[in-house]
Amino acid sequence: MTAVAAPPPRPLWRRLLGFNLLTALVLGVGGWYVGWFGAHAVKGLSIAYFADTDYNELSVVMAYIGGVVGFLVGLGFLNYPIARMRGYPPSLREKETHGWTRYFSLCTDHKVVGIQYLWGIGLFFFIGGLNAMLIRTELLRPNHQVFPAGTYLTIVGMHGTMMMGMMTSGILGPFANYLVPIMIGARRMAFPRIEALTFWLLMAAGTILTSTIFFGGFPTGWTGYAPLSNEGNPGMDNYLLFFALVGISMTLLGLNMIATVLTMRAPGLTWTRLPIFVWGVLSTAVLMVLAAPVLIATLGMEMLDRTAQTTFFVAAGGGSSYLYQNLFWVFGHPEVYILALPGFAIVLELLPVFSRKPLWGYRLAVGGLLGVSLLSWFVWQHHLFVSGINGDLRPFYMLSTELISIPTGFTFLCGMMTLWRGNIRFTVPMLFCLAWFFNFLIGGLSGVFLSDVPSDVTTHGSFFSMAHFHYTIMGGLVFTFFAAIYYWVPKMTGWELNERLGKVHFWTMFIFFNSTFFPLFIAGFEGQPRRVVTYSSHLQFLNDWVSVSAFLLGISMLVFLFNLVWSLAFVKKPAEANPWSSRSIEFQLPSPVPVHNFDRIPVFSSDPYGYGEGPVPTWVAPAGAPAGSE
Amino acid sequence: MAAEPSAASRPPADSTNHGFRVVVAWIALSVVATPLVAILVGRLFPPGNGSAQGTEQVLDNTVLLSVITPVVCLLAVFFVYGLRSFHAAPGAVVDGPPLRNDSRIQILWIVGTGVIVLFLAGFGTFELLQNGAGGGQGPNPIAVPGGSKLQVQVIGQQWQFTYRYPSLGGLESNQLVLPENTDVELHVTSLDVIHSFWAYELGVKADANPGSDNVAFVETKGPETFHVRCAELCGLWHGYMYNNGRVVSSAQFQSWASQQKKLYAAIAPFMNKSPADGGAPYSKTYLPLPSERAG
């Protein structure tokens, strides 16, 4: 392959004109006002619809839809469809190869999108984390109000929604986009423009959710239960638009992943040679494609309830509040496995590297991932055990919920047997993977109490369930998210992260994570309901302990942030091509990975886990194979 | 194999039977830990012995805890032993034995988890069908305790619960007072958004949905005070939607009822009467007008 020559640099003022983030922001604000004033004009024609509120909610919805459209047009997402309609041949002109500006524009290089995702999601993860700190500040004292009750509920809702919405793409966005094409021996994703679109949609969504504070916030938490959401402030529309856009982004991301893995695998990469990480991505992507449209439809119905006074979820108008709960959790339970499954896959991907043994029970591990994603469709009504919707179906949902522990157990067994008799190296990513076992065990076993109806009667909707899902999602996903960062970011950026700071980060995070969330099980058992601004004074010591631990957990995150900025922006120590002695194909490439990934498309002859089974295979291309074109 | 740098430095085959050691340690630890945990920790579990349903939940929690204790022991033994025995020397990158599978272990594991899961589901169903375990069962409950029951309607609204006693002439009160040693049939509904009626010490939780009747049963024991909280986010003052309730003796309950009747005599003509008093039929649900939005 010939080296790509750098194009001659253009003057700065010329680069600022055209389709880029600056234009996108200008058009986004412009589109926002077009929608705003347009919908206000409609209001004049239909006074009765809005008679019960002094706020035109249609204008909020239309403003943000206009803003998103303007933002995407400004980034240049319409250029290609229009060019194709005018008869231009297909091309990937947006695949820029040089310069920092590609990170701030529509770029179809999957490695650029991966890094965009890493920083973009990191930003909103940080905002969500700050909200958690504010929640714990409020709960320092049982009756003293730091924040007004409405503000507190908005903070709770922002924390939950930001985490549940943004972190759905927490692994698939940065790491799958970057690594899946490399791991399957491809040069790009199946749909590179859609890949870029998923990222920029997510950024627009995050901005919309953050701006809810200008419209009074929303009182419903991340679940957005109707009919409470029917009476919320206009800030409720921000929640609905945020989650609907996240849903669209998730659907497209999932479709793109499925298409890529199905169609673009290099020769020799059979289903049993696929890295387990790719299997995890695939099973997650299937859940995304099937679950997210339900969410989009549900939120669309809720948006109509609010703006056009339909009554899908209003009992007096023939609707049902159960309908919203059902629809939300039909999405919502697969959603939590969308969060958890990539974590399983990362643990199984990293354990062989750091115990120097092949992945034990490959087929069982794959079966576990697929089994969880299949079973996750049959459990959603355990969120409604005490709601009275269908009393005689509770034994079924109790059984199906508990059945999920069988495929989850496969992941535990395969992981543990991979460690068995290995030569374990306690590197920073490995520490995070080992912590996953601890956290997910507690998360899973506390789930036994929640899945059992008699026990759930007390724990349902209490701090116990809150502690449970923080153990599974933060302990399961966020820990593996950091494992992935320490493991792959040197490969992605070409610079090493500081290992000593990494270990400080791990130990402080592990200790304070447990010291924050374990006492919350007790708080739930003692009768503290979720999302309360005040609580019984006899629980103050417990809550203060949790708050202080949470602040220390926040400081641990700052250690990580410092490490990231310090290592990548100041120290800039070049990373080796294969710092972990991994057999995976991405570590056989230079760091960072070159623009076209491979000089020649590789031919696979084994899975990447052959530790102790001979030398690393060389990635050969058959004679006469083309160097590859887009 | 010659090209593999680590092959030469691989230690001689390990003849220690690690698996045997782990299994023995696990069994020993489980045999000691499970009864200790069940006896010492189980009785600390909520919600206590405030009602028959509460006692049953404590028993249920204790059984669950006894089942998961050996699982915790297995992982604890495995990781303490494994991470101590199988760590690499500092700086060394040496391949371990290429073990890829062992179908006996897989089958044992699947059978083991399967048996645990089926036991948990079976036991949970059995306990649930005893007396409903205090959970909301919807309008057509499947687990109904026998005998006569005191009906109490719990009406949630932003941000308080109102209790209606059809058998006391439709008496409504913002205090929940129940007679001791009585089977109570709670009909939980809501006027506006979703609430959840949680009587902590009684072990009762039932969501209050507008336009629907959610039935939960509780058999009270001796006199006590219990806490009522809303357990489903219901808007601005959700955190302040709590109250105390009382279980009292039958005589005290009757005197409380007559006292309340006197207190509300002035407004009684405007309230729903029970059918026995010639009033309209007892409505199990309420439908607010959609145009009357709070906030």
Side-chain angles (χ1 to χ4, degrees), chain A residues 153-154 156-157 161 217-232 236 239-240 302 306 324 530-531, chain B residues 232-235:
Chain A
L153 288 183
T154 300
V156 170
T161 316
F218 60 99
T220 60
W222 85 277
T223 47
Y225 272 6
L228 178 60
S229 54
N230 286 15
E231 58 174 56
M236 197 70 225
Y239 162 88
L240 298 172
E302 176 55 30
R306 286 177 60 82
Y324 184 90
R530 287 171 65 186
R531 298 150 161 177
Chain B
E232 183 60 65
L233 181 54
C234 57

PDB file of all heavy atoms in Angstrom, chain A residues 153-154 156-157 161 217-232 236 239-240 302 306 324 530-531, chain B residues 232-235:
ATOM      1  N   LEU A 153     -34.862  16.278  42.461  1.00  0.00           N
ATOM      2  CA  LEU A 153     -35.377  15.237  41.563  1.00  0.00           C
ATOM      3  C   LEU A 153     -34.764  15.358  40.173  1.00  0.00           C
ATOM      4  O   LEU A 153     -34.477  14.360  39.513  1.00  0.00           O
ATOM      5  CB  LEU A 153     -36.902  15.324  41.472  1.00  0.00           C
ATOM      6  CG  LEU A 153     -37.665  14.866  42.705  1.00  0.00           C
ATOM      7  CD1 LEU A 153     -39.158  14.932  42.454  1.00  0.00           C
ATOM      8  CD2 LEU A 153     -37.268  13.455  43.094  1.00  0.00           C
ATOM      9  N   THR A 154     -34.551  16.589  39.715  1.00  0.00           N
ATOM     10  CA  THR A 154     -33.909  16.768  38.421  1.00  0.00           C
ATOM     11  C   THR A 154     -32.487  16.214  38.434  1.00  0.00           C
ATOM     12  O   THR A 154     -32.047  15.567  37.472  1.00  0.00           O
ATOM     13  CB  THR A 154     -33.888  18.262  38.049  1.00  0.00           C
ATOM     14  OG1 THR A 154     -35.234  18.715  37.990  1.00  0.00           O
ATOM     15  CG2 THR A 154     -33.216  18.479  36.704  1.00  0.00           C
ATOM     16  N   VAL A 156     -31.345  13.809  40.387  1.00  0.00           N
ATOM     17  CA  VAL A 156     -31.465  12.345  40.395  1.00  0.00           C
ATOM     18  C   VAL A 156     -31.767  11.845  38.986  1.00  0.00           C
ATOM     19  O   VAL A 156     -31.147  10.897  38.488  1.00  0.00           O
ATOM     20  CB  VAL A 156     -32.564  11.900  41.385  1.00  0.00           C
ATOM     21  CG1 VAL A 156     -32.861  10.419  41.233  1.00  0.00           C
ATOM     22  CG2 VAL A 156     -32.151  12.199  42.804  1.00  0.00           C
ATOM     23  N   GLY A 157     -32.716  12.513  38.329  1.00  0.00           N
ATOM     24  CA  GLY A 157     -33.094  12.082  36.988  1.00  0.00           C
ATOM     25  C   GLY A 157     -31.963  12.249  35.990  1.00  0.00           C
ATOM     26  O   GLY A 157     -31.724  11.386  35.147  1.00  0.00           O
ATOM     27  N   THR A 161     -30.474   9.165  33.990  1.00  0.00           N
ATOM     28  CA  THR A 161     -30.696   9.168  32.552  1.00  0.00           C
ATOM     29  C   THR A 161     -29.385   9.290  31.798  1.00  0.00           C
ATOM     30  O   THR A 161     -29.156   8.614  30.782  1.00  0.00           O
ATOM     31  CB  THR A 161     -31.630  10.332  32.186  1.00  0.00           C
ATOM     32  OG1 THR A 161     -32.692  10.370  33.112  1.00  0.00           O
ATOM     33  CG2 THR A 161     -32.182  10.143  30.797  1.00  0.00           C
ATOM     34  N   GLY A 217     -36.360  21.271  34.465  1.00  0.00           N
ATOM     35  CA  GLY A 217     -35.992  19.911  34.862  1.00  0.00           C
ATOM     36  C   GLY A 217     -37.153  18.941  34.688  1.00  0.00           C
ATOM     37  O   GLY A 217     -38.193  19.276  34.120  1.00  0.00           O
ATOM     38  N   PHE A 218     -36.950  17.732  35.182  1.00  0.00           N
ATOM     39  CA  PHE A 218     -38.026  16.738  35.098  1.00  0.00           C
ATOM     40  C   PHE A 218     -38.046  15.915  36.379  1.00  0.00           C
ATOM     41  O   PHE A 218     -37.011  15.675  36.987  1.00  0.00           O
ATOM     42  CB  PHE A 218     -37.863  15.848  33.856  1.00  0.00           C
ATOM     43  CG  PHE A 218     -36.588  15.069  33.797  1.00  0.00           C
ATOM     44  CD1 PHE A 218     -36.554  13.735  34.172  1.00  0.00           C
ATOM     45  CD2 PHE A 218     -35.404  15.653  33.361  1.00  0.00           C
ATOM     46  CE1 PHE A 218     -35.383  13.009  34.107  1.00  0.00           C
ATOM     47  CE2 PHE A 218     -34.226  14.938  33.294  1.00  0.00           C
ATOM     48  CZ  PHE A 218     -34.216  13.618  33.671  1.00  0.00           C
ATOM     49  N   PRO A 219     -39.246  15.497  36.809  1.00  0.00           N
ATOM     50  CA  PRO A 219     -39.371  14.900  38.141  1.00  0.00           C
ATOM     51  C   PRO A 219     -39.387  13.382  38.168  1.00  0.00           C
ATOM     52  O   PRO A 219     -39.636  12.803  39.222  1.00  0.00           O
ATOM     53  CB  PRO A 219     -40.737  15.429  38.602  1.00  0.00           C
ATOM     54  CG  PRO A 219     -41.542  15.461  37.342  1.00  0.00           C
ATOM     55  CD  PRO A 219     -40.564  15.734  36.215  1.00  0.00           C
ATOM     56  N   THR A 220     -39.138  12.692  37.075  1.00  0.00           N
ATOM     57  CA  THR A 220     -39.508  11.285  37.015  1.00  0.00           C
ATOM     58  C   THR A 220     -38.358  10.313  37.214  1.00  0.00           C
ATOM     59  O   THR A 220     -38.588   9.106  37.226  1.00  0.00           O
ATOM     60  CB  THR A 220     -40.113  10.968  35.642  1.00  0.00           C
ATOM     61  OG1 THR A 220     -39.122  11.269  34.651  1.00  0.00           O
ATOM     62  CG2 THR A 220     -41.343  11.750  35.380  1.00  0.00           C
ATOM     63  N   GLY A 221     -37.124  10.785  37.368  1.00  0.00           N
ATOM     64  CA  GLY A 221     -36.020   9.830  37.361  1.00  0.00           C
ATOM     65  C   GLY A 221     -35.817   9.289  35.957  1.00  0.00           C
ATOM     66  O   GLY A 221     -36.451   9.751  34.996  1.00  0.00           O
ATOM     67  N   TRP A 222     -34.953   8.275  35.842  1.00  0.00           N
ATOM     68  CA  TRP A 222     -34.616   7.837  34.480  1.00  0.00           C
ATOM     69  C   TRP A 222     -35.697   6.997  33.842  1.00  0.00           C
ATOM     70  O   TRP A 222     -35.675   6.746  32.651  1.00  0.00           O
ATOM     71  CB  TRP A 222     -33.288   7.077  34.472  1.00  0.00           C
ATOM     72  CG  TRP A 222     -33.367   5.620  34.796  1.00  0.00           C
ATOM     73  CD1 TRP A 222     -33.410   5.066  36.026  1.00  0.00           C
ATOM     74  CD2 TRP A 222     -33.410   4.532  33.860  1.00  0.00           C
ATOM     75  NE1 TRP A 222     -33.479   3.697  35.921  1.00  0.00           N
ATOM     76  CE2 TRP A 222     -33.482   3.349  34.607  1.00  0.00           C
ATOM     77  CE3 TRP A 222     -33.378   4.445  32.464  1.00  0.00           C
ATOM     78  CZ2 TRP A 222     -33.539   2.086  34.006  1.00  0.00           C
ATOM     79  CZ3 TRP A 222     -33.444   3.185  31.879  1.00  0.00           C
ATOM     80  CH2 TRP A 222     -33.514   2.030  32.649  1.00  0.00           C
ATOM     81  N   THR A 223     -36.697   6.529  34.645  1.00  0.00           N
ATOM     82  CA  THR A 223     -37.721   5.675  34.067  1.00  0.00           C
ATOM     83  C   THR A 223     -38.832   6.473  33.388  1.00  0.00           C
ATOM     84  O   THR A 223     -39.529   5.931  32.551  1.00  0.00           O
ATOM     85  CB  THR A 223     -38.346   4.793  35.151  1.00  0.00           C
ATOM     86  OG1 THR A 223     -38.659   5.614  36.262  1.00  0.00           O
ATOM     87  CG2 THR A 223     -37.383   3.711  35.597  1.00  0.00           C
ATOM     88  N   GLY A 224     -38.994   7.746  33.760  1.00  0.00           N
ATOM     89  CA  GLY A 224     -39.980   8.583  33.097  1.00  0.00           C
ATOM     90  C   GLY A 224     -41.403   8.060  33.146  1.00  0.00           C
ATOM     91  O   GLY A 224     -42.147   8.204  32.173  1.00  0.00           O
ATOM     92  N   TYR A 225     -41.797   7.449  34.276  1.00  0.00           N
ATOM     93  CA  TYR A 225     -43.123   6.836  34.353  1.00  0.00           C
ATOM     94  C   TYR A 225     -44.227   7.835  34.045  1.00  0.00           C
ATOM     95  O   TYR A 225     -44.286   8.918  34.619  1.00  0.00           O
ATOM     96  CB  TYR A 225     -43.353   6.273  35.763  1.00  0.00           C
ATOM     97  CG  TYR A 225     -42.871   4.851  35.974  1.00  0.00           C
ATOM     98  CD1 TYR A 225     -42.169   4.178  34.995  1.00  0.00           C
ATOM     99  CD2 TYR A 225     -43.137   4.191  37.162  1.00  0.00           C
ATOM    100  CE1 TYR A 225     -41.733   2.886  35.189  1.00  0.00           C
ATOM    101  CE2 TYR A 225     -42.702   2.892  37.371  1.00  0.00           C
ATOM    102  CZ  TYR A 225     -41.994   2.242  36.386  1.00  0.00           C
ATOM    103  OH  TYR A 225     -41.568   0.965  36.584  1.00  0.00           O
ATOM    104  N   ALA A 226     -45.134   7.443  33.145  1.00  0.00           N
ATOM    105  CA  ALA A 226     -46.396   8.160  32.994  1.00  0.00           C
ATOM    106  C   ALA A 226     -47.331   7.623  34.075  1.00  0.00           C
ATOM    107  O   ALA A 226     -47.176   6.484  34.487  1.00  0.00           O
ATOM    108  CB  ALA A 226     -46.965   7.883  31.620  1.00  0.00           C
ATOM    109  N   PRO A 227     -48.292   8.353  34.537  1.00  0.00           N
ATOM    110  CA  PRO A 227     -48.680   9.705  34.144  1.00  0.00           C
ATOM    111  C   PRO A 227     -47.919  10.817  34.867  1.00  0.00           C
ATOM    112  O   PRO A 227     -48.251  11.968  34.653  1.00  0.00           O
ATOM    113  CB  PRO A 227     -50.163   9.756  34.506  1.00  0.00           C
ATOM    114  CG  PRO A 227     -50.349   8.766  35.587  1.00  0.00           C
ATOM    115  CD  PRO A 227     -49.274   7.738  35.438  1.00  0.00           C
ATOM    116  N   LEU A 228     -46.925  10.493  35.691  1.00  0.00           N
ATOM    117  CA  LEU A 228     -46.168  11.574  36.329  1.00  0.00           C
ATOM    118  C   LEU A 228     -45.504  12.430  35.258  1.00  0.00           C
ATOM    119  O   LEU A 228     -45.447  13.662  35.364  1.00  0.00           O
ATOM    120  CB  LEU A 228     -45.124  10.998  37.285  1.00  0.00           C
ATOM    121  CG  LEU A 228     -44.224  11.998  37.989  1.00  0.00           C
ATOM    122  CD1 LEU A 228     -45.047  12.967  38.825  1.00  0.00           C
ATOM    123  CD2 LEU A 228     -43.198  11.301  38.861  1.00  0.00           C
ATOM    124  N   SER A 229     -45.022  11.794  34.199  1.00  0.00           N
ATOM    125  CA  SER A 229     -44.341  12.562  33.156  1.00  0.00           C
ATOM    126  C   SER A 229     -45.324  13.439  32.392  1.00  0.00           C
ATOM    127  O   SER A 229     -44.907  14.407  31.750  1.00  0.00           O
ATOM    128  CB  SER A 229     -43.608  11.615  32.209  1.00  0.00           C
ATOM    129  OG  SER A 229     -44.477  10.640  31.712  1.00  0.00           O
ATOM    130  N   ASN A 230     -46.632  13.118  32.447  1.00  0.00           N
ATOM    131  CA  ASN A 230     -47.606  13.976  31.759  1.00  0.00           C
ATOM    132  C   ASN A 230     -47.713  15.338  32.417  1.00  0.00           C
ATOM    133  O   ASN A 230     -48.080  16.314  31.776  1.00  0.00           O
ATOM    134  CB  ASN A 230     -48.992  13.322  31.777  1.00  0.00           C
ATOM    135  CG  ASN A 230     -49.073  12.179  30.811  1.00  0.00           C
ATOM    136  OD1 ASN A 230     -48.050  11.703  30.342  1.00  0.00           O
ATOM    137  ND2 ASN A 230     -50.272  11.735  30.512  1.00  0.00           N
ATOM    138  N   GLU A 231     -47.435  15.382  33.727  1.00  0.00           N
ATOM    139  CA  GLU A 231     -47.619  16.651  34.424  1.00  0.00           C
ATOM    140  C   GLU A 231     -46.301  17.352  34.693  1.00  0.00           C
ATOM    141  O   GLU A 231     -46.277  18.346  35.373  1.00  0.00           O
ATOM    142  CB  GLU A 231     -48.384  16.408  35.730  1.00  0.00           C
ATOM    143  CG  GLU A 231     -47.679  15.425  36.655  1.00  0.00           C
ATOM    144  CD  GLU A 231     -48.363  15.308  38.005  1.00  0.00           C
ATOM    145  OE1 GLU A 231     -49.547  14.995  38.024  1.00  0.00           O
ATOM    146  OE2 GLU A 231     -47.680  15.535  39.007  1.00  0.00           O
ATOM    147  N   GLY A 232     -45.200  16.825  34.174  1.00  0.00           N
ATOM    148  CA  GLY A 232     -43.906  17.438  34.425  1.00  0.00           C
ATOM    149  C   GLY A 232     -43.728  18.763  33.703  1.00  0.00           C
ATOM    150  O   GLY A 232     -44.505  19.130  32.815  1.00  0.00           O
ATOM    151  N   MET A 236     -39.337  17.968  30.888  1.00  0.00           N
ATOM    152  CA  MET A 236     -39.661  16.561  30.611  1.00  0.00           C
ATOM    153  C   MET A 236     -39.444  16.238  29.137  1.00  0.00           C
ATOM    154  O   MET A 236     -39.021  15.133  28.779  1.00  0.00           O
ATOM    155  CB  MET A 236     -41.133  16.347  30.991  1.00  0.00           C
ATOM    156  CG  MET A 236     -41.550  14.911  31.154  1.00  0.00           C
ATOM    157  SD  MET A 236     -40.831  14.160  32.595  1.00  0.00           S
ATOM    158  CE  MET A 236     -40.310  12.613  31.907  1.00  0.00           C
ATOM    159  N   TYR A 239     -36.023  15.203  28.403  1.00  0.00           N
ATOM    160  CA  TYR A 239     -35.789  13.793  28.714  1.00  0.00           C
ATOM    161  C   TYR A 239     -36.273  12.901  27.581  1.00  0.00           C
ATOM    162  O   TYR A 239     -35.568  11.998  27.123  1.00  0.00           O
ATOM    163  CB  TYR A 239     -36.508  13.437  30.022  1.00  0.00           C
ATOM    164  CG  TYR A 239     -36.716  11.963  30.245  1.00  0.00           C
ATOM    165  CD1 TYR A 239     -35.753  11.183  30.866  1.00  0.00           C
ATOM    166  CD2 TYR A 239     -37.884  11.328  29.804  1.00  0.00           C
ATOM    167  CE1 TYR A 239     -35.942   9.829  31.045  1.00  0.00           C
ATOM    168  CE2 TYR A 239     -38.080   9.976  29.983  1.00  0.00           C
ATOM    169  CZ  TYR A 239     -37.108   9.228  30.602  1.00  0.00           C
ATOM    170  OH  TYR A 239     -37.292   7.887  30.774  1.00  0.00           O
ATOM    171  N   LEU A 240     -37.504  13.162  27.110  1.00  0.00           N
ATOM    172  CA  LEU A 240     -38.081  12.301  26.072  1.00  0.00           C
ATOM    173  C   LEU A 240     -37.248  12.371  24.793  1.00  0.00           C
ATOM    174  O   LEU A 240     -36.956  11.350  24.175  1.00  0.00           O
ATOM    175  CB  LEU A 240     -39.524  12.729  25.786  1.00  0.00           C
ATOM    176  CG  LEU A 240     -40.495  12.610  26.964  1.00  0.00           C
ATOM    177  CD1 LEU A 240     -41.828  13.253  26.618  1.00  0.00           C
ATOM    178  CD2 LEU A 240     -40.708  11.160  27.337  1.00  0.00           C
ATOM    179  N   GLU A 302     -45.491   9.093  24.560  1.00  0.00           N
ATOM    180  CA  GLU A 302     -45.516  10.001  25.700  1.00  0.00           C
ATOM    181  C   GLU A 302     -45.418  11.454  25.213  1.00  0.00           C
ATOM    182  O   GLU A 302     -46.071  12.352  25.748  1.00  0.00           O
ATOM    183  CB  GLU A 302     -44.369   9.648  26.654  1.00  0.00           C
ATOM    184  CG  GLU A 302     -44.208  10.563  27.845  1.00  0.00           C
ATOM    185  CD  GLU A 302     -45.479  10.697  28.668  1.00  0.00           C
ATOM    186  OE1 GLU A 302     -46.272   9.753  28.708  1.00  0.00           O
ATOM    187  OE2 GLU A 302     -45.665  11.789  29.256  1.00  0.00           O
ATOM    188  N   ARG A 306     -48.160  14.515  25.781  1.00  0.00           N
ATOM    189  CA  ARG A 306     -47.848  15.837  26.334  1.00  0.00           C
ATOM    190  C   ARG A 306     -48.183  16.969  25.379  1.00  0.00           C
ATOM    191  O   ARG A 306     -48.636  18.027  25.805  1.00  0.00           O
ATOM    192  CB  ARG A 306     -46.370  15.914  26.708  1.00  0.00           C
ATOM    193  CG  ARG A 306     -46.007  15.132  27.959  1.00  0.00           C
ATOM    194  CD  ARG A 306     -44.530  15.190  28.207  1.00  0.00           C
ATOM    195  NE  ARG A 306     -44.061  16.560  28.399  1.00  0.00           N
ATOM    196  CZ  ARG A 306     -44.151  17.206  29.554  1.00  0.00           C
ATOM    197  NH1 ARG A 306     -44.654  16.612  30.599  1.00  0.00           N
ATOM    198  NH2 ARG A 306     -43.707  18.444  29.652  1.00  0.00           N
ATOM    199  N   TYR A 324     -47.351   2.082  29.876  1.00  0.00           N
ATOM    200  CA  TYR A 324     -46.022   2.702  29.853  1.00  0.00           C
ATOM    201  C   TYR A 324     -45.010   1.822  30.572  1.00  0.00           C
ATOM    202  O   TYR A 324     -43.911   1.587  30.084  1.00  0.00           O
ATOM    203  CB  TYR A 324     -46.057   4.096  30.491  1.00  0.00           C
ATOM    204  CG  TYR A 324     -44.726   4.791  30.387  1.00  0.00           C
ATOM    205  CD1 TYR A 324     -44.421   5.588  29.303  1.00  0.00           C
ATOM    206  CD2 TYR A 324     -43.719   4.595  31.354  1.00  0.00           C
ATOM    207  CE1 TYR A 324     -43.189   6.174  29.172  1.00  0.00           C
ATOM    208  CE2 TYR A 324     -42.486   5.169  31.230  1.00  0.00           C
ATOM    209  CZ  TYR A 324     -42.221   5.974  30.144  1.00  0.00           C
ATOM    210  OH  TYR A 324     -40.979   6.545  30.009  1.00  0.00           O
ATOM    211  N   ARG A 530     -36.135   4.623  47.282  1.00  0.00           N
ATOM    212  CA  ARG A 530     -35.284   5.332  46.329  1.00  0.00           C
ATOM    213  C   ARG A 530     -35.791   6.745  46.090  1.00  0.00           C
ATOM    214  O   ARG A 530     -36.956   7.040  46.273  1.00  0.00           O
ATOM    215  CB  ARG A 530     -35.320   4.599  44.987  1.00  0.00           C
ATOM    216  CG  ARG A 530     -34.564   3.324  44.961  1.00  0.00           C
ATOM    217  CD  ARG A 530     -34.842   2.588  43.680  1.00  0.00           C
ATOM    218  NE  ARG A 530     -34.328   3.333  42.517  1.00  0.00           N
ATOM    219  CZ  ARG A 530     -34.550   2.956  41.267  1.00  0.00           C
ATOM    220  NH1 ARG A 530     -35.253   1.912  41.008  1.00  0.00           N
ATOM    221  NH2 ARG A 530     -34.054   3.667  40.266  1.00  0.00           N
ATOM    222  N   ARG A 531     -34.869   7.597  45.640  1.00  0.00           N
ATOM    223  CA  ARG A 531     -35.204   8.916  45.099  1.00  0.00           C
ATOM    224  C   ARG A 531     -35.934   9.805  46.110  1.00  0.00           C
ATOM    225  O   ARG A 531     -36.812  10.583  45.743  1.00  0.00           O
ATOM    226  CB  ARG A 531     -36.068   8.780  43.850  1.00  0.00           C
ATOM    227  CG  ARG A 531     -35.390   8.058  42.724  1.00  0.00           C
ATOM    228  CD  ARG A 531     -36.412   7.340  41.900  1.00  0.00           C
ATOM    229  NE  ARG A 531     -35.901   6.996  40.576  1.00  0.00           N
ATOM    230  CZ  ARG A 531     -36.605   6.317  39.692  1.00  0.00           C
ATOM    231  NH1 ARG A 531     -37.820   5.933  39.955  1.00  0.00           N
ATOM    232  NH2 ARG A 531     -36.093   6.026  38.519  1.00  0.00           N
TER     233      ARG A 531
ATOM    234  N   GLU B 232     -42.726   4.662  45.280  1.00  0.00           N
ATOM    235  CA  GLU B 232     -42.576   4.892  43.836  1.00  0.00           C
ATOM    236  C   GLU B 232     -42.535   6.398  43.613  1.00  0.00           C
ATOM    237  O   GLU B 232     -43.405   7.110  44.102  1.00  0.00           O
ATOM    238  CB  GLU B 232     -43.753   4.263  43.060  1.00  0.00           C
ATOM    239  CG  GLU B 232     -43.648   4.395  41.549  1.00  0.00           C
ATOM    240  CD  GLU B 232     -42.407   3.737  40.993  1.00  0.00           C
ATOM    241  OE1 GLU B 232     -42.309   2.512  41.100  1.00  0.00           O
ATOM    242  OE2 GLU B 232     -41.519   4.457  40.485  1.00  0.00           O
ATOM    243  N   LEU B 233     -41.520   6.861  42.879  1.00  0.00           N
ATOM    244  CA  LEU B 233     -41.340   8.293  42.665  1.00  0.00           C
ATOM    245  C   LEU B 233     -42.629   8.901  42.109  1.00  0.00           C
ATOM    246  O   LEU B 233     -43.122   8.483  41.075  1.00  0.00           O
ATOM    247  CB  LEU B 233     -40.193   8.512  41.682  1.00  0.00           C
ATOM    248  CG  LEU B 233     -39.846   9.952  41.343  1.00  0.00           C
ATOM    249  CD1 LEU B 233     -39.577  10.747  42.603  1.00  0.00           C
ATOM    250  CD2 LEU B 233     -38.651  10.009  40.435  1.00  0.00           C
ATOM    251  N   CYS B 234     -43.184   9.882  42.845  1.00  0.00           N
ATOM    252  CA  CYS B 234     -44.501  10.396  42.471  1.00  0.00           C
ATOM    253  C   CYS B 234     -44.499  11.916  42.375  1.00  0.00           C
ATOM    254  O   CYS B 234     -45.529  12.544  42.481  1.00  0.00           O
ATOM    255  CB  CYS B 234     -45.539   9.935  43.491  1.00  0.00           C
ATOM    256  SG  CYS B 234     -45.172  10.422  45.167  1.00  0.00           S
ATOM    257  N   GLY B 235     -43.320  12.500  42.188  1.00  0.00           N
ATOM    258  CA  GLY B 235     -43.294  13.938  42.000  1.00  0.00           C
ATOM    259  C   GLY B 235     -42.599  14.662  43.141  1.00  0.00           C
ATOM    260  O   GLY B 235     -41.886  14.066  43.947  1.00  0.00           O
TER     261      GLY B 235
END
